[in-house]
Amino acid sequence: MLLTESIKANFPVFAEDDLLSEMEKYCVVKNLEVGKSLIDIGEEVVSVPLIMKGTVKVVREDADGNELLLYYLNQGDTCASLLTCCMNKTLSEVKVTVLEDVSVLMVPIRIMDEWMRKYTTWRNFVMLSYRERMEQLLVTIDSIAFKKMDERLLLYLQQRSSELNTNILCGTHQEIADDLHTSREVISRLLKQLERMGRINLSRNKIEIISLV
DNA sequence: ACATTAATTGTGT
DNA sequence: ACACAATTAATGT
């Protein structure tokens, strides 16, 4: 009842009553605070999170613990990588950590096979999540491979502001630098340039976007 | 309200 | 990349 309502509110695509009542029956809501981990690399994927509120960060990691940002997930999103792990019954390829307190709907893996067959809306949701994530990752990979840092930063700001649907991004220059694998100074200087061009406004822990085009 | 401290940001080399 | 200065926010008194 209450759960169904919040599912509807956050994932309007799930309109089928049967699917909704099964969700109500099998899924659980998890609330996690900043810094908590949803899943780590190598762990078994027992359920897939649908984000109802908050933000998480999905990363890969190399042997020495250097993190590679894959993508952020916000309200209405789910993790494409975990979906594949789920369907192939493989261990998690990614680490998912909470960036802003989240409330997630955990969909148990065992029920998903059935839903894929039974519910068109579920299947479509999964496929769409894949497609969108794949497209976004391709753009990101292109920018890593072919673009200079100034353009990569621009793309980063664009992606984050459109994901969150806001002109104001919170966080430090250091965090951006970590995401883009560069030094804080480089980011500070590039941001300063953008500010001088009148395209953003800077203040502590905050970037206000005026125009990125 | 003021002083102290810590964190973040700016800049020259 | 490093070193240091400047600025800002947080905290104690």
Side-chain angles (χ1 to χ4, degrees):
Chain A
M1 21 175 235
L2 210 94
L3 178 55
T4 306
E5 289 314 308
S6 62
I7 295 175
K8 273 187 182 170
N10 290 296
F11 296 89
V13 282
F14 301 133
E16 292 167 71
D17 287 339
D18 291 354
L19 176 55
L20 283 169
S21 63
E22 282 205 51
M23 283 182 155
E24 170 110 355
K25 196 159 142 203
Y26 295 112
C27 300
V28 288
V29 176
K30 253 197 203 176
N31 292 297
L32 293 168
E33 308 133 26
V34 179
K36 298 279 182 202
S37 161
L38 260 173
I39 192 162
D40 209 333
I41 295 165
E43 286 177 12
E44 193 184 353
V45 184
V46 291
S47 47
V48 171
L50 307 194
I51 314 289
M52 303 208 285
K53 174 169 144 309
T55 305
V56 301
K57 186 176 179 175
V58 182
V59 301
R60 283 182 60 74
E61 223 169 36
D62 72 8
D64 333 314
N66 297 311
E67 291 190 344
L68 171 66
L69 170 70
L70 290 178
Y71 41 82
Y72 290 91
L73 299 176
N74 301 296
Q75 193 254 95
D77 293 337
T78 190
C79 182
S81 173
L82 290 179
L83 280 173
T84 54
C85 290
C86 227
M87 311 239 244
N88 300 314
K89 311 257 195 289
T90 57
L91 302 179
S92 176
E93 308 273 355
V94 298
K95 178 165 133 186
V96 181
T97 53
V98 177
L99 225 74
E100 281 171 27
D101 294 8
V102 288
S103 161
V104 291
L105 184 71
M106 303 301 286
V107 182
I109 167 172
R110 62 182 140 62
I111 200 74
M112 279 185 40
D113 279 342
E114 198 182 319
W115 285 2
M116 285 298 275
R117 277 179 273 110
K118 254 168 58 181
Y119 300 110
T120 315
T121 48
W122 176 258
R123 206 165 48 237
N124 288 344
F125 173 75
V126 170
M127 288 307 170
L128 186 66
S129 301
Y130 277 149
R131 216 191 64 212
E132 288 181 339
R133 193 56 65 196
M134 181 64 78
E135 279 169 10
Q136 192 228 309
L137 279 175
L138 285 181
V139 173
T140 302
I141 289 172
D142 278 349
S143 99
I144 293 175
F146 305 126
K147 306 260 170 99
K148 296 220 174 55
M149 192 49 76
D150 57 342
E151 287 192 79
R152 290 184 56 197
L153 176 60
L154 229 34
L155 176 67
Y156 178 88
L157 296 174
Q158 277 163 6
Q159 284 183 342
R160 296 221 54 199
S161 75
S162 78
E163 276 163 10
L164 293 165
N165 199 25
T166 174
N167 294 327
I168 297 179
L169 298 178
C170 296
T172 65
H173 299 181
Q174 185 63 60
E175 286 164 353
I176 300 177
D178 291 343
D179 284 348
L180 298 180
H181 283 134
T182 182
S183 66
R184 196 268 311 159
E185 292 92 323
V186 169
I187 295 299
S188 288
R189 287 188 164 114
L190 289 172
L191 285 172
K192 206 71 207 157
Q193 276 185 30
L194 288 173
E195 187 180 42
R196 279 194 277 263
M197 289 189 257
R199 301 172 70 178
I200 59 175
N201 276 330
L202 294 175
S203 47
R204 190 184 237 239
N205 286 313
K206 202 172 85 178
I207 301 171
E208 184 192 353
I209 292 166
I210 311 291
S211 147
L212 293 177
V213 283

